[in-house]
PDB file of all heavy atoms in Angstrom:
ATOM      1  N   VAL A 108       7.482 150.435 -19.351  1.00  0.00           N
ATOM      2  CA  VAL A 108       7.779 151.183 -18.151  1.00  0.00           C
ATOM      3  C   VAL A 108       6.591 152.076 -17.802  1.00  0.00           C
ATOM      4  O   VAL A 108       5.976 152.681 -18.650  1.00  0.00           O
ATOM      5  CB  VAL A 108       9.035 152.047 -18.343  1.00  0.00           C
ATOM      6  CG1 VAL A 108       9.327 152.872 -17.090  1.00  0.00           C
ATOM      7  CG2 VAL A 108      10.224 151.157 -18.655  1.00  0.00           C
ATOM      8  N   SER A 109       6.266 152.132 -16.514  1.00  0.00           N
ATOM      9  CA  SER A 109       5.174 152.968 -16.061  1.00  0.00           C
ATOM     10  C   SER A 109       5.438 154.423 -16.403  1.00  0.00           C
ATOM     11  O   SER A 109       6.556 154.906 -16.354  1.00  0.00           O
ATOM     12  CB  SER A 109       5.014 152.815 -14.536  1.00  0.00           C
ATOM     13  OG  SER A 109       4.147 153.809 -14.023  1.00  0.00           O
ATOM     14  N   VAL A 163      19.701 161.928  -2.366  1.00  0.00           N
ATOM     15  CA  VAL A 163      19.685 162.272  -3.799  1.00  0.00           C
ATOM     16  C   VAL A 163      19.873 161.020  -4.652  1.00  0.00           C
ATOM     17  O   VAL A 163      19.132 160.785  -5.618  1.00  0.00           O
ATOM     18  CB  VAL A 163      20.784 163.311  -4.127  1.00  0.00           C
ATOM     19  CG1 VAL A 163      20.836 163.564  -5.631  1.00  0.00           C
ATOM     20  CG2 VAL A 163      20.544 164.606  -3.383  1.00  0.00           C
ATOM     21  N   ALA A 164      20.875 160.213  -4.323  1.00  0.00           N
ATOM     22  CA  ALA A 164      21.147 159.005  -5.108  1.00  0.00           C
ATOM     23  C   ALA A 164      19.977 158.033  -5.071  1.00  0.00           C
ATOM     24  O   ALA A 164      19.625 157.418  -6.084  1.00  0.00           O
ATOM     25  CB  ALA A 164      22.418 158.325  -4.596  1.00  0.00           C
ATOM     26  N   GLN A 166      16.797 158.775  -4.584  1.00  0.00           N
ATOM     27  CA  GLN A 166      15.696 159.349  -5.359  1.00  0.00           C
ATOM     28  C   GLN A 166      15.945 159.217  -6.861  1.00  0.00           C
ATOM     29  O   GLN A 166      15.023 158.956  -7.636  1.00  0.00           O
ATOM     30  CB  GLN A 166      15.488 160.812  -4.966  1.00  0.00           C
ATOM     31  CG  GLN A 166      14.945 160.994  -3.561  1.00  0.00           C
ATOM     32  CD  GLN A 166      14.733 162.446  -3.178  1.00  0.00           C
ATOM     33  OE1 GLN A 166      14.806 163.350  -4.015  1.00  0.00           O
ATOM     34  NE2 GLN A 166      14.469 162.700  -1.894  1.00  0.00           N
ATOM     35  N   TYR A 167      17.204 159.360  -7.251  1.00  0.00           N
ATOM     36  CA  TYR A 167      17.565 159.182  -8.665  1.00  0.00           C
ATOM     37  C   TYR A 167      17.254 157.743  -9.106  1.00  0.00           C
ATOM     38  O   TYR A 167      16.699 157.516 -10.186  1.00  0.00           O
ATOM     39  CB  TYR A 167      19.039 159.488  -8.854  1.00  0.00           C
ATOM     40  CG  TYR A 167      19.535 159.364 -10.274  1.00  0.00           C
ATOM     41  CD1 TYR A 167      19.343 160.402 -11.190  1.00  0.00           C
ATOM     42  CD2 TYR A 167      20.207 158.230 -10.703  1.00  0.00           C
ATOM     43  CE1 TYR A 167      19.798 160.288 -12.499  1.00  0.00           C
ATOM     44  CE2 TYR A 167      20.657 158.119 -12.011  1.00  0.00           C
ATOM     45  CZ  TYR A 167      20.460 159.140 -12.905  1.00  0.00           C
ATOM     46  OH  TYR A 167      20.906 159.031 -14.187  1.00  0.00           O
ATOM     47  N   ALA A 168      17.601 156.781  -8.274  1.00  0.00           N
ATOM     48  CA  ALA A 168      17.371 155.375  -8.610  1.00  0.00           C
ATOM     49  C   ALA A 168      15.887 155.016  -8.596  1.00  0.00           C
ATOM     50  O   ALA A 168      15.459 154.093  -9.305  1.00  0.00           O
ATOM     51  CB  ALA A 168      18.136 154.479  -7.637  1.00  0.00           C
ATOM     52  N   ALA A 169      15.100 155.726  -7.818  1.00  0.00           N
ATOM     53  CA  ALA A 169      13.688 155.374  -7.641  1.00  0.00           C
ATOM     54  C   ALA A 169      12.767 156.022  -8.664  1.00  0.00           C
ATOM     55  O   ALA A 169      11.581 155.692  -8.721  1.00  0.00           O
ATOM     56  CB  ALA A 169      13.232 155.754  -6.234  1.00  0.00           C
ATOM     57  N   THR A 170      13.296 156.938  -9.478  1.00  0.00           N
ATOM     58  CA  THR A 170      12.437 157.658 -10.430  1.00  0.00           C
ATOM     59  C   THR A 170      12.673 157.197 -11.865  1.00  0.00           C
ATOM     60  O   THR A 170      13.670 156.545 -12.169  1.00  0.00           O
ATOM     61  CB  THR A 170      12.685 159.178 -10.327  1.00  0.00           C
ATOM     62  OG1 THR A 170      14.095 159.442 -10.411  1.00  0.00           O
ATOM     63  CG2 THR A 170      12.169 159.722  -9.008  1.00  0.00           C
ATOM     64  N   ILE A 171      11.743 157.549 -12.726  1.00  0.00           N
ATOM     65  CA  ILE A 171      11.798 157.163 -14.133  1.00  0.00           C
ATOM     66  C   ILE A 171      12.494 158.266 -14.929  1.00  0.00           C
ATOM     67  O   ILE A 171      12.135 159.440 -14.814  1.00  0.00           O
ATOM     68  CB  ILE A 171      10.376 156.955 -14.690  1.00  0.00           C
ATOM     69  CG1 ILE A 171       9.620 155.908 -13.868  1.00  0.00           C
ATOM     70  CG2 ILE A 171      10.432 156.547 -16.153  1.00  0.00           C
ATOM     71  CD1 ILE A 171       8.134 155.897 -14.146  1.00  0.00           C
ATOM     72  N   ARG A 172      13.490 157.878 -15.721  1.00  0.00           N
ATOM     73  CA  ARG A 172      14.173 158.886 -16.543  1.00  0.00           C
ATOM     74  C   ARG A 172      13.247 159.378 -17.652  1.00  0.00           C
ATOM     75  O   ARG A 172      12.592 158.598 -18.340  1.00  0.00           O
ATOM     76  CB  ARG A 172      15.431 158.301 -17.190  1.00  0.00           C
ATOM     77  CG  ARG A 172      16.509 157.794 -16.252  1.00  0.00           C
ATOM     78  CD  ARG A 172      17.338 158.896 -15.640  1.00  0.00           C
ATOM     79  NE  ARG A 172      16.607 159.590 -14.586  1.00  0.00           N
ATOM     80  CZ  ARG A 172      16.383 159.070 -13.361  1.00  0.00           C
ATOM     81  NH1 ARG A 172      16.828 157.877 -13.035  1.00  0.00           N
ATOM     82  NH2 ARG A 172      15.708 159.756 -12.462  1.00  0.00           N
ATOM     83  N   VAL A 173      13.173 160.688 -17.798  1.00  0.00           N
ATOM     84  CA  VAL A 173      12.445 161.308 -18.900  1.00  0.00           C
ATOM     85  C   VAL A 173      13.378 162.311 -19.588  1.00  0.00           C
ATOM     86  O   VAL A 173      14.310 162.821 -18.962  1.00  0.00           O
ATOM     87  CB  VAL A 173      11.151 162.008 -18.425  1.00  0.00           C
ATOM     88  CG1 VAL A 173      10.155 161.002 -17.911  1.00  0.00           C
ATOM     89  CG2 VAL A 173      11.451 163.054 -17.359  1.00  0.00           C
ATOM     90  N   SER A 174      13.111 162.575 -20.838  1.00  0.00           N
ATOM     91  CA  SER A 174      13.957 163.504 -21.581  1.00  0.00           C
ATOM     92  C   SER A 174      13.675 164.946 -21.162  1.00  0.00           C
ATOM     93  O   SER A 174      12.639 165.252 -20.556  1.00  0.00           O
ATOM     94  CB  SER A 174      13.725 163.349 -23.075  1.00  0.00           C
ATOM     95  OG  SER A 174      12.418 163.788 -23.414  1.00  0.00           O
ATOM     96  N   ARG A 175      14.578 165.835 -21.523  1.00  0.00           N
ATOM     97  CA  ARG A 175      14.378 167.258 -21.255  1.00  0.00           C
ATOM     98  C   ARG A 175      13.077 167.747 -21.906  1.00  0.00           C
ATOM     99  O   ARG A 175      12.321 168.513 -21.323  1.00  0.00           O
ATOM    100  CB  ARG A 175      15.562 168.057 -21.769  1.00  0.00           C
ATOM    101  CG  ARG A 175      15.534 169.538 -21.409  1.00  0.00           C
ATOM    102  CD  ARG A 175      16.621 170.294 -22.167  1.00  0.00           C
ATOM    103  NE  ARG A 175      17.925 169.682 -22.006  1.00  0.00           N
ATOM    104  CZ  ARG A 175      18.780 169.975 -21.032  1.00  0.00           C
ATOM    105  NH1 ARG A 175      18.455 170.887 -20.141  1.00  0.00           N
ATOM    106  NH2 ARG A 175      19.955 169.374 -20.974  1.00  0.00           N
ATOM    107  N   SER A 177      10.446 166.021 -22.601  1.00  0.00           N
ATOM    108  CA  SER A 177       9.256 165.397 -21.998  1.00  0.00           C
ATOM    109  C   SER A 177       9.039 165.819 -20.550  1.00  0.00           C
ATOM    110  O   SER A 177       7.971 165.536 -19.988  1.00  0.00           O
ATOM    111  CB  SER A 177       9.371 163.872 -22.063  1.00  0.00           C
ATOM    112  OG  SER A 177       9.467 163.424 -23.396  1.00  0.00           O
ATOM    113  N   LEU A 183      11.432 165.791 -11.004  1.00  0.00           N
ATOM    114  CA  LEU A 183      12.669 166.082 -10.279  1.00  0.00           C
ATOM    115  C   LEU A 183      13.789 166.412 -11.263  1.00  0.00           C
ATOM    116  O   LEU A 183      13.882 165.807 -12.334  1.00  0.00           O
ATOM    117  CB  LEU A 183      13.068 164.888  -9.401  1.00  0.00           C
ATOM    118  CG  LEU A 183      12.065 164.495  -8.313  1.00  0.00           C
ATOM    119  CD1 LEU A 183      12.664 163.400  -7.412  1.00  0.00           C
ATOM    120  CD2 LEU A 183      11.633 165.689  -7.475  1.00  0.00           C
ATOM    121  N   PHE A 185      17.823 166.428 -11.498  1.00  0.00           N
ATOM    122  CA  PHE A 185      19.045 165.954 -10.856  1.00  0.00           C
ATOM    123  C   PHE A 185      20.248 166.612 -11.522  1.00  0.00           C
ATOM    124  O   PHE A 185      20.401 166.550 -12.743  1.00  0.00           O
ATOM    125  CB  PHE A 185      19.152 164.430 -10.967  1.00  0.00           C
ATOM    126  CG  PHE A 185      18.082 163.692 -10.211  1.00  0.00           C
ATOM    127  CD1 PHE A 185      16.923 163.268 -10.845  1.00  0.00           C
ATOM    128  CD2 PHE A 185      18.232 163.419  -8.852  1.00  0.00           C
ATOM    129  CE1 PHE A 185      15.936 162.583 -10.149  1.00  0.00           C
ATOM    130  CE2 PHE A 185      17.260 162.741  -8.143  1.00  0.00           C
ATOM    131  CZ  PHE A 185      16.095 162.330  -8.800  1.00  0.00           C
ATOM    132  N   MET A 187      24.125 166.550 -12.268  1.00  0.00           N
ATOM    133  CA  MET A 187      25.011 165.410 -12.414  1.00  0.00           C
ATOM    134  C   MET A 187      26.476 165.830 -12.463  1.00  0.00           C
ATOM    135  O   MET A 187      26.821 166.907 -12.964  1.00  0.00           O
ATOM    136  CB  MET A 187      24.660 164.649 -13.692  1.00  0.00           C
ATOM    137  CG  MET A 187      23.190 164.312 -13.868  1.00  0.00           C
ATOM    138  SD  MET A 187      22.549 163.170 -12.627  1.00  0.00           S
ATOM    139  CE  MET A 187      23.392 161.663 -13.160  1.00  0.00           C
ATOM    140  N   ALA A 225      19.663 165.615 -15.297  1.00  0.00           N
ATOM    141  CA  ALA A 225      18.781 164.523 -15.707  1.00  0.00           C
ATOM    142  C   ALA A 225      17.435 164.746 -15.043  1.00  0.00           C
ATOM    143  O   ALA A 225      17.366 165.308 -13.942  1.00  0.00           O
ATOM    144  CB  ALA A 225      19.367 163.178 -15.288  1.00  0.00           C
ATOM    145  N   TYR A 226      16.390 164.320 -15.723  1.00  0.00           N
ATOM    146  CA  TYR A 226      15.037 164.526 -15.197  1.00  0.00           C
ATOM    147  C   TYR A 226      14.454 163.188 -14.759  1.00  0.00           C
ATOM    148  O   TYR A 226      14.627 162.167 -15.446  1.00  0.00           O
ATOM    149  CB  TYR A 226      14.152 165.175 -16.254  1.00  0.00           C
ATOM    150  CG  TYR A 226      14.600 166.587 -16.610  1.00  0.00           C
ATOM    151  CD1 TYR A 226      15.546 166.792 -17.618  1.00  0.00           C
ATOM    152  CD2 TYR A 226      14.098 167.676 -15.936  1.00  0.00           C
ATOM    153  CE1 TYR A 226      15.961 168.082 -17.944  1.00  0.00           C
ATOM    154  CE2 TYR A 226      14.506 168.970 -16.244  1.00  0.00           C
ATOM    155  CZ  TYR A 226      15.442 169.161 -17.244  1.00  0.00           C
ATOM    156  OH  TYR A 226      15.884 170.431 -17.548  1.00  0.00           O
ATOM    157  N   GLY A 227      13.787 163.219 -13.619  1.00  0.00           N
ATOM    158  CA  GLY A 227      13.179 161.993 -13.101  1.00  0.00           C
ATOM    159  C   GLY A 227      11.713 162.201 -12.763  1.00  0.00           C
ATOM    160  O   GLY A 227      11.351 163.223 -12.170  1.00  0.00           O
ATOM    161  N   ARG A 228      10.884 161.243 -13.154  1.00  0.00           N
ATOM    162  CA  ARG A 228       9.445 161.301 -12.828  1.00  0.00           C
ATOM    163  C   ARG A 228       9.159 160.307 -11.719  1.00  0.00           C
ATOM    164  O   ARG A 228       9.542 159.121 -11.795  1.00  0.00           O
ATOM    165  CB  ARG A 228       8.609 160.994 -14.059  1.00  0.00           C
ATOM    166  CG  ARG A 228       7.097 161.128 -13.833  1.00  0.00           C
ATOM    167  CD  ARG A 228       6.396 161.359 -15.147  1.00  0.00           C
ATOM    168  NE  ARG A 228       6.855 162.603 -15.761  1.00  0.00           N
ATOM    169  CZ  ARG A 228       6.734 162.855 -17.070  1.00  0.00           C
ATOM    170  NH1 ARG A 228       6.168 161.964 -17.877  1.00  0.00           N
ATOM    171  NH2 ARG A 228       7.163 163.988 -17.572  1.00  0.00           N
ATOM    172  N   VAL A 229       8.496 160.768 -10.692  1.00  0.00           N
ATOM    173  CA  VAL A 229       8.173 159.928  -9.557  1.00  0.00           C
ATOM    174  C   VAL A 229       7.184 158.847  -9.995  1.00  0.00           C
ATOM    175  O   VAL A 229       6.243 159.124 -10.753  1.00  0.00           O
ATOM    176  CB  VAL A 229       7.594 160.761  -8.395  1.00  0.00           C
ATOM    177  CG1 VAL A 229       7.156 159.883  -7.234  1.00  0.00           C
ATOM    178  CG2 VAL A 229       8.653 161.777  -7.918  1.00  0.00           C
ATOM    179  N   ARG A 230       7.397 157.631  -9.527  1.00  0.00           N
ATOM    180  CA  ARG A 230       6.527 156.501  -9.909  1.00  0.00           C
ATOM    181  C   ARG A 230       5.194 156.579  -9.201  1.00  0.00           C
ATOM    182  O   ARG A 230       5.111 157.048  -8.094  1.00  0.00           O
ATOM    183  CB  ARG A 230       7.228 155.171  -9.572  1.00  0.00           C
ATOM    184  CG  ARG A 230       8.513 154.969 -10.345  1.00  0.00           C
ATOM    185  CD  ARG A 230       9.192 153.673  -9.922  1.00  0.00           C
ATOM    186  NE  ARG A 230      10.507 153.536 -10.515  1.00  0.00           N
ATOM    187  CZ  ARG A 230      10.759 153.028 -11.714  1.00  0.00           C
ATOM    188  NH1 ARG A 230       9.761 152.601 -12.457  1.00  0.00           N
ATOM    189  NH2 ARG A 230      11.983 152.948 -12.175  1.00  0.00           N
TER     190      ARG A 230
END
Side-chain angles (χ1 to χ4, degrees):
V108 178
S109 168
V163 175
Q166 291 180 10
Y167 181 82
T170 51
I171 303 166
R172 299 283 75 75
V173 293
S174 68
R175 186 190 308 271
S177 299
L183 299 186
F185 294 95
M187 310 295 289
Y226 295 88
R228 184 157 298 159
V229 176
R230 297 178 187 274

